[in-house]
Every structure is written in C-alpha cells, then in structure tokens.
Amino acid sequence: MASLGIPVRRAKVHAARAAERAARLTQGGRTRRRSGVNTLVGLETLRLGVEGKALLWRSLLAVAVHDTRLRTDRLAALLERAGRQLTALDSLHARAASALLASRAPGRTAR
C-alpha cells in the first residue's frame, strides 16, 4: 500500500481488533472457551483470509508488469509465504478435525 501511496486507515485496523475481542466475550464478560468446532471454524476462516491475500498478490504481480512502483520480487515472496501459510493451516486443520472426530467416537465420553 505504501508503494502505491495508499494510506493506512487506522480506524479500520482498530475496529477490526475491537470486533475480534468482542467476538470472544460472552454476556457475563468472560472469554469463551474454545471448542473443537470453534477451532475448525477459526482455522477455516484464517484459510479464507490467506487465500484472499494470495489472490491479491497474484493480481498485483500481473499489474506489476505495467507499474514500476510494484516490486515483483517482494510480491513473489509474499505469494510464496501465503502458500506456506496455507500448507500450515491445512495441517493444523487436519489435526484438529481428527482430534474432534476421535473425541466424539462411539464409546468415548464427551467432555
């Protein structure tokens, strides 16, 4: 964004942080305990964000051919990092799904 002269919207950054914190609170003001399903949903949400970010880097790489303000080496590195993040999230998701299904297998008591 800095390369293109686009300012950071600090109000949006602060609003996102406040919304994330508010989502964790219950009516009693205590933080909710994470369940297996919540973990899966959280990982899936993160994956969607990383996929969106990867699409942005691909789009900017396509534009960089015509816009010298964009550094293709930096964008390629960001795209590669997003790929590593997706791999890590997929691994975490598989483990969380296995743990959740194992805990709900017949003969096991629910916690």
Side-chain angles (χ1 to χ4, degrees), residues 42-58 78-90:
L43 288 167
E44 290 163 1
T45 302
L46 280 172
R47 192 176 200 297
L48 286 171
V50 174
E51 284 177 353
K53 183 172 61 171
L55 289 171
L56 170 66
W57 303 144
R58 282 190 192 106
L78 289 168
L79 181 56
E80 185 178 317
R81 184 172 71 179
R84 288 191 308 270
Q85 290 169 341
L86 289 170
T87 299
L89 286 168
D90 287 343

Side-chain angles (χ1 to χ4, degrees), residues 25-30:
L25 294 177
T26 61
Q27 287 182 345
R30 294 184 312 258

